[in-house]
Amino acid sequence: QVQLVESGGGLVQTGGSLRLSCAASGNMFGINTRGWYRQAPEKEREMVATITSGGSTNYADSVKGRFTISRDNAKNTVYLQMNSLKPEDTAVYYCRVWRSGYALNYWGKGTLVNVSS
């Protein structure tokens, strides 16, 4: 069992920054990928950024150059630094951890990011 708790969401103006955190607890054995997804109203959930145990990162084209994913292994926490925020970044952001190619997948409850103009 794995539990994920996101924090750091809130209201921010266009051009501002937020840092999301995802703290994991429980049995993380086998997990090799961590990431952030987001879902805006009436839109599909989309990948924002991922990071593997080896440190490889991937980003959605819409956030490249603005968002940075990182992790602190000692704290078992993954972060998403979001800079130069735009109204289109408004969404519920979800933390996800999983093992690639396996039915080992956990989601957090989400944290709301609201970017105002």
Side-chain angles (χ1 to χ4, degrees):
Q1 292 291 314
V2 172
Q3 295 80 44
L4 306 175
V5 179
E6 302 104 329
S7 61
L11 177 64
V12 65
Q13 294 185 59
T14 297
S17 297
L18 286 173
R19 189 193 193 203
L20 305 184
S21 299
C22 174
S25 62
N27 187 3
M28 293 283 287
F29 181 79
I31 297 295
N32 64 3
T33 317
R34 298 159 171 80
W36 290 94
Y37 290 69
R38 68 186 182 187
Q39 188 166 18
E42 301 187 10
K43 295 185 67 176
E44 296 288 327
R45 186 173 297 186
E46 64 177 348
M47 186 275 289
V48 176
T50 63
I51 185 167
T52 68
S53 296
S56 298
T57 59
N58 282 292
Y59 297 92
D61 288 342
S62 59
V63 308
K64 286 181 179 177
R66 300 188 297 121
F67 291 9
T68 303
I69 188 170
S70 62
R71 69 174 189 268
D72 185 330
N73 290 335
K75 296 181 178 180
N76 214 6
T77 300
V78 62
Y79 304 94
L80 185 68
Q81 179 66 47
M82 305 185 295
N83 299 325
S84 302
L85 284 162
K86 306 174 181 179
E88 51 262 46
D89 295 318
T90 296
V92 176
Y93 284 71
Y94 297 91
C95 180
R96 181 194 179 200
V97 303
W98 72 99
R99 183 175 178 85
S100 301
Y102 294 83
L104 189 61
N105 183 48
Y106 301 93
W107 293 89
K109 293 182 178 180
T111 185
L112 177 63
V113 172
N114 190 358
V115 185
S116 63
S117 60

